[in-house]
Every structure is written in structure tokens, then in C-alpha cells.
């Protein structure tokens, strides 16, 4: 195949414990470490492996977000992507707008395969890949843990609630990946240097002429209900007694 | 008029427990008239089961050979067509609904409200973000259909005292052939279902091997519990993926959750926040799991778990 398009979203690093601001106006993101959404990193790793096996010619990474998302695209280039595109927006758009933007990138780049993360760990929406596939009128294979290409088709193993599902899709298609698909490589210093020379195009959202439709608005943020730390028991007998006391057994 | 269409999840034979939970969420929308759509190859048996869901007024049975196995690209255009008569379309936040509903939403030109945990009004909902570290109130735009998935751990299914009628419908819409279901490799188990069990025993990386995981199964059997696992235990191949509990596994709300040799990473805790009681056994007294456990026991699981099994059996 010729080309694989991969989406990279800039999100708060998964190790950061996100907190709601005390005035309830949002979550605290000032000075917080930002990274590539972990699922997207796996998507990119898979695309790179396909290319490095000789099954694709080029891997293009796309991010939609603020100018700072260039950092994540540079990391993607350092991992091995050939080119990067940043569609610059003031903040990350809603999933439907994101899917429309990706569709525009698909129309320009004409990839044979789009690989995205199954969800972004900030808003946990898990919508963008499915929406892109719908708007594009192409197959979707979500929550994938294995991807095998065969000419004009792909066979995808999906992690579903009841086990593992095998789905066959015609290409081009959208695949969204789950965590067990692969383990992303670490970038080495020379790769970071090399990545600086790779092309990174910036496109202003306004130039795409995409209208953002009716968007759900967030009207309040609150911290989740905290569980209280309970009691420590000293042995099995104590544990059984405590559970019996609470009517659990 | 608030008209809610709930998309039934089923395996061709039986209704999944997720559907009764979606109906419970739908019933919380003020003034809702609730219909349930059963899309299948021959959905008669499932549709009949659905008629007893309390609070619904109709079951719509849509039979089509293409619906033999749920493929999102095939189901979505049918649901989008049906949706014209409804103000709300709800599905479960299971892998079935999470795959399908955003595709429906895109066809209807709206964003989806994912993981609804509370209904505040016909267009106002609460949902978790950042792995449950924040809860947001979202307002869906007026004048557009609301498409949502229902967070399973937030609802108790409605009971089966209903007596709705079934209506058969056929939907004239072209269905794509570009996506083909090949097979489902489903774990077979006589144990209770992880997603609906009232008791769950989970094991983590500390178990060390799939043979050792046997002690988790034996403890679970002693108290009639379902078995879960941390991601580390699944990644290491001790148990299959469908047993993973957490942000990227199953989000569950049992009466009793026993976490054994699990450290309590935020992504794991996301999956058990709504458990009524959490019990933890870990050799590290500083493990984060103890911050949320109602009862904690520090020690070696290989000694304590068999002891606990004996104590609970007798
Ligand atoms: C995007 C993302 C999504 C994720 N989603 C999930 C998810 O859905 N579910 C999930 O579980 N994780 C998830 N994770 C992984 C998560 O961050 C942790 O890595 C994982 O939960 C750790 O599993 P664990 O507790 O079994 O292993 P560890 O963290 O290694 O903990 C093992 C524990 O066992 C204890 N122990 C060791 N030996 C013994 C013994 N003999 N007796 C008693 N105790 C012992 C140790 O003290 C330790 O606390 C996700 C991570 C990312 C980045």
C-alpha cells in the first residue's frame, strides 16, 4: 500500500493525576506534562512496523490542536513518521469536528489506511475514528489488538467484551487501536535530531472551510466522589469478620 | 415530546443485561416514551425478552440477514434511519455500543454524549472525563437528536415486569458490504458474568503465571464471584483480555470487589470506583489500592488467599 495516516493527539500525560480547579471552571492543566495520547502512540508504532516490513511506503502523522502540538508531531517524526501535518486550532475540537478535519486530510492525502487510538485519555470520548469512518463511508475496526494486511483487505482482531472478534475490512479503512497491539519504541537522541529536518506542514483551521456544527457545551466541572480510606485488618480471620459485619458474606 | 430509542445489545439468543440499564437511563429523561430496537437476523426470541423491560412502550424488531452479527457499519445506517422519529437514541457503553453509537451520531450530524452517568434534564447529562478524575455536566444542543452511550456502572437495570408490544419493521436503506464479521472467540465460563456479578475477585501482576491465577479462581468459586484482572495480568498472558477491569477494560460496580496483588493504578481504580465495598490484599502496605479499600490486609497473597478460601468455604 502507499500511505498510512495516523492521528496524534496532544493530551495530559497519563501519569499525571488530573485535578478539577477549585473554582470548577475546568481541570488544572497549567505546567502539566503533555504527551502523545498513549493509544495514538501505539497507532503510530503499528503504522511504522507496517512500513518497515515493506507493506507501506509512507507514514503521515496528523495532529489537530494548538501550536504546541508540534512537540508531539516532532516526537512522532522522531519515532519514524515521514511527514507531519498540524491543523492548528485554538483548542482541541469536539469529536465530530475532529472527524470532519480528518476527513479533509484523508481527501487530500488519500491514504489506504487510517490508524487512530481507540480513545483519547483526556475526554475519553472514543468517537473520532468511528465518526471519520461514517463520514468517509468506509469500514471501521475499533479496539484492535492485531492487524494483518492482505492486498486490498485487512483482517483485524478486536478486543470486545466477550472476547476476541475477527473482522475483515476492505481498504481503505479506519482502524482504532487498543493497548495490546504493540509496545511503542523509545526515541533515541539521533532520531530527535533527524526529526528536526523532516517536513511539518501547518494548516490553519479557517483555511479548510469546515464549519463546526452544534456542539455540546460543558457547563460544570466537579471532582468525583472520593472513596474513604477504610480500615486495615491484621489477618484473614479479621477480614472475614469485617466482611461478615458488613453483611457481605 | 421526548421519544427515546434504546438499541438492544444481544447475541442473537438473549438480551444482554446492558439493555435494561440503558432503559433505566432512558427512564430518567423527563417525559420519555421509550422504544427498544432489536436488530438481528431473526430477533423474535430477543424481542420477546425485551417486551418485559419495565417502562418501555414498544419493541421494534428489525430482521435482516445482514444483522446476524452486529457490525457497526451495517447497523448504523439502519439506526440513523429509524432515528428520524426520536429525540434520543441510547446504547450501552459496552464495546458493542462504543463501536456503534458514534457511527450513528456522525450520520445524524451530532456529537455523542459518551458514558452518561446521570441525567439532569432532557439535554443535560453528567459524564466522566480523564479516567473519572473529573465529572462534567454537558448540555447537548437543542433542536438536534441526542445520541448517547450509558455508563454501565451508573445504572441498575429495570426489572422485567413490563408488557410492551412488538412491532416488526423493515428499513429501506442500502447496507455496505465492505465490512465482514469472520468469527468471535469468546471465553467460555460457568462463572458469573464480570459485568453484572455482585461479587468480583481480581488478580494482578503479582500472581506471576496463569497456573498461579488458579488461586484467584478458587477463591472466586468459594464465594460465587466473577473473576477479573488488572491490565498487567492480561498483558502478561495470565488470563484473556475480556477479564480486564479498568479504564480500558470493564467498568464494574459489584457489591464486593476483592483486589489481590493489584497495586491500584488510577486506570485500574477507574473501573471499580462504584463498587460498594473494596477489599485489598497486597504485600506492600503503601500500595495505592489501600487508599480506596474499605478493608485492607497486608501480606503475601500466596499464603493469605488459600487461607481466605478455606475460611470462606467453611
Ligand atoms: C492508557 C492506559 C490505560 C490503562 N488501562 C488499564 C486498565 O484498564 N486496567 C488496569 O488494570 N490497568 C490499566 N493500565 C495499566 C495501569 O497503569 C497499571 O500498569 C496496571 O494496572 C498495573 O497492574 P497490577 O496492579 O497488576 O501490577 P503492579 O502495578 O505491578 O502491581 C502489582 C502489585 O502486587 C503486589 N504484590 C507483589 N507480590 C505480591 C505477593 N506475593 N502478595 C501480595 N501482593 C504482592 C505489589 O506490591 C504490587 O502492588 C492502563 C495504563 C495506561 C497507560
Amino acid at each position: 500500500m502507499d500511505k498510512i495516516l495516523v492521528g496524534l493527539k496532544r493530551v495530559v500525560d497519563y501519569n499525571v493525576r488530573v485535578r478539577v480547579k477549585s473554582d470548577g471552571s475546568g481541570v488544572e492543566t497549567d505546567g502539566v506534562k503533555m504527551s502523545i495520547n498513549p493509544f495514538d502512540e501505539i497507532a503510530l508504532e503499528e503504522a511504522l512496523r507496517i512500513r518497515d516490513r515493506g507493506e507501506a511506503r509512507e507514514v503521515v502523522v496528523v495532529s489537530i490542536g494548538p501550536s504546541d502540538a508540534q512537540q508531539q508531531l516532532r516526537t512522532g517524526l522522531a519515532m519514524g513518521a515521514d511527514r507531519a501535518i498540524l491543523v492548528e486550532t485554538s483548542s482541541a475540537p469536539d469529536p465530530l469536528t475532529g472527524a470532519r478535519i480528518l476527513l479533509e486530510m484523508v481527501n487530500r492525502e488519500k491514504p489506504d489506511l487510517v490508524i487512530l487510538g481507540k480513545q483519547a485519555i483526556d475526554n475519553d470520548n472514543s468517537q473520532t475514528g468511528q465518526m471519520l469512518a461514517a463520514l468517509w463511508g468506509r469500514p471501521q475496526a475499533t479496539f484492535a489488538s492485531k492487524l494483518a494486511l492482505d492486498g486490498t483487505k485487512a483482517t483485524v482482531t478486536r478486543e470486545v467484551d466477550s472476547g476476541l472478534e475477527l473482522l475483515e475490512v476492505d481498504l481503505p479503512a479506519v482502524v482504532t487501536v487498543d493497548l495490546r497491539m504493540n509496545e511503542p519504541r523509545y526515541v533515541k537522541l539521533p532520531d530527535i535530531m533527524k526529526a528536526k529536518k523532516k517536513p511539518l506542514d501547518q494548516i490553519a483551521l479557517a483555511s479548510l472551510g469546515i464549519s463546526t456544527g452544534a456542539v455540546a457545551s460543558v457547563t460544570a466541572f466537579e471532582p468525583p466522589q472520593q472513596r474513604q480510606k477504610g480500615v486495615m485488618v491484621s489477618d484473614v480471620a479479621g477480614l472475614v469478620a469485617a466482611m461478615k459485619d458488613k453483611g457481605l458474606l | 415530546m421526548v421519544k427515546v430509542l434504546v438499541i438492544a445489545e444481544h447475541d442473537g439468543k438473549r438480551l444482554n443485561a446492558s439493555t435494561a440499564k440503558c432503559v433505566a437511563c432512558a427512564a430518567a429523561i423527563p417525559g420519555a416514551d421509550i422504544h427498544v430496537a432489536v436488530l438481528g437476523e431473526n430477533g423474535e426470541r430477543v424481542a420477546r425478552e425485551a417486551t418485559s423491560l419495565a417502562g418501555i412502550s414498544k419493541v421494534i424488531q428489525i430482521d435482516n440477514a445482514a444483522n446476524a452479527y452486529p457490525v457497526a457499519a451495517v447497523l448504523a445506517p439502519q439506526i440513523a434511519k429509524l432515528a428520524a422519529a426520536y429525540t434520543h437514541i441510547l446504547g450501552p457503553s459496552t464495546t458493542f455500543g462504543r463501536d456503534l453509537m458514534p457511527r450513528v451520531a456522525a450520520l445524524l450530524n451530532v456529537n455523542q454524549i459518551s458514558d452518561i452517568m446521570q441525567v439532569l434534564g432532557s439535554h443535560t447529562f453528567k459524564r466522566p472525563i480523564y479516567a473519572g478524575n473529573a465529572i462534567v455536566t454537558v448540555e447537548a444542543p437543542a433542536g438536534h437528536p441526542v445520541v448517547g452511550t450509558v455508563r454501565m456502572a451508573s445504572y441498575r437495570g429495570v426489572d422485567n415486569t413490563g408488557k410492551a408490544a412488538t412491532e416488526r419493521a423493515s428499513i429501506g436503506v442500502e447496507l455496505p458490504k465492505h465490512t465482514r464479521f469472520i468469527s468471535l472467540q469468546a471465553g467460555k465460563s460457568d462463572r458469573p458474568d464480570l459485568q453484572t456479578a455482585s461479587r468480583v475477585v481480581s488478580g494482578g501482576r503479582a500472581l506471576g503465571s496463569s497456573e498461579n491465577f488458579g488461586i484467584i479462581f478458587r477463591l472466586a468459586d468459594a464465594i460465587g464471584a466473577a473473576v477479573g484482572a488488572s491490565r498487567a495480568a492480561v498483558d502478561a498472558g495470565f488470563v484473556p483480555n475480556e477479564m480486564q477491569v479498568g479504564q480500558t477494560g470493564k467498568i464494574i460496580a459489584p457489591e464486593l470487589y476483592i483486589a489481590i496483588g493489584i497495586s491500584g493504578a488510577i486506570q485500574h481504580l477507574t473501573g471499580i470506583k462504584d463498587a460498594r465495598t473494596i477489599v485489598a490484599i497486597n504485600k506492600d502496605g503503601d500500595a495505592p489500592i489501600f487508599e480506596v479499600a474499605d478493608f485492607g490486609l497486608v501480606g503475601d497473597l500466596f499464603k493469605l488467599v488459600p487461607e481466605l478460601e478455606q475460611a470462606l468455604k467453611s
Side-chain angles (χ1 to χ4, degrees), chain A residues 14 38-39 121 179, chain B residues 203-206 229-233 244-250 260-268 281-284 287-288 299-302:
Chain A
Y14 80 94
F39 295 97
I121 59 164
L179 293 170
Chain B
R205 192 198 311 271
S230 72
R231 177 186 166 199
Q244 182 174 318
V245 171
Q247 181 187 13
T248 49
K250 291 187 172 123
I260 296 167
I262 291 177
S263 61
I266 37 177
Q267 295 89 359
H268 188 81
I281 298 179
N282 195 301
K283 71 173 181 191
D284 173 10
D300 180 9
L301 72 92
F302 294 104

Side-chain angles (χ1 to χ4, degrees), chain A residues 72-226:
Chain A
Q72 281 64 45
L73 287 172
R74 286 287 169 209
T75 305
L77 292 169
M79 279 177 71
D82 299 289
R83 271 190 306 123
I85 303 170
L86 173 64
V87 178
E88 210 172 320
T89 60
S90 52
S91 58
D94 60 281
L96 185 58
T97 305
R100 285 185 181 136
I101 295 169
L102 287 175
L103 180 65
E104 179 59 29
M105 293 302 111
V106 160
N107 288 335
R108 292 180 180 202
E109 295 286 338
K110 309 226 172 341
D112 306 278
L113 182 62
V114 177
I115 314 183
L116 305 175
K118 75 161 181 176
Q119 73 192 80
I121 59 164
D122 49 5
N123 287 322
D124 285 331
N125 271 312
S126 193
Q127 300 181 27
T128 306
Q130 297 89 313
M131 288 184 156
L132 170 62
L135 300 176
W136 191 11
R138 295 305 306 166
Q140 70 188 44
T142 53
F143 326 141
S145 61
K146 213 167 162 191
L147 169 59
L149 297 169
D150 173 18
T152 58
K153 293 181 303 198
T155 307
V156 183
T157 305
R158 303 181 56 230
E159 291 200 356
V160 295
D161 287 337
S162 51
L164 295 173
E165 179 195 298
L166 217 57
L167 205 62
E168 185 181 78
V169 297
D170 293 337
L171 299 175
V174 178
V175 173
T176 79
V177 304
D178 215 319
L179 293 170
R180 271 176 285 275
M181 181 159 250
N182 60 49
E183 213 163 300
R185 66 196 66 190
Y186 285 104
V187 291
K188 298 181 219 74
L189 197 59
D191 298 327
I192 296 174
M193 301 313 289
K194 256 199 286 184
K196 288 188 174 146
K197 296 202 192 74
K198 290 184 180 176
L200 192 162
D201 286 345
Q202 273 167 273
I203 300 175
L205 175 61
S207 75
L208 297 180
I210 289 169
S211 60
T212 50
V215 174
S217 51
V218 175
T219 56
F221 288 79
E222 60 191 287
Q225 263 183 345
Q226 293 300 331

Side-chain angles (χ1 to χ4, degrees), chain B residues 118-164:
Chain B
Q118 197 184 337
V119 175
L120 299 177
S122 70
H123 286 63
T124 315
F125 309 91
K126 281 193 185 186
R127 64 171 299 259
I129 60 171
Y130 287 102
N133 283 312
I135 309 297
V136 289
T137 302
V138 288
E139 217 157 306
H144 295 267
V146 175
V147 177
T149 57
V150 177
R151 183 174 179 272
M152 293 290 99
S154 298
Y155 289 90
R156 243 171 215 282
V158 296
D159 61 34
N160 54 2
T161 54
K163 285 190 183 62

Side-chain angles (χ1 to χ4, degrees), chain A residues 1-5 57-58 60 83 109 111-113:
Chain A
M1 78 175 45
D2 186 50
K3 200 185 286 183
I4 304 175
L5 195 71
R57 183 184 60 83
E58 190 183 31
V60 180
R83 271 190 306 123
E109 295 286 338
D112 306 278
L113 182 62

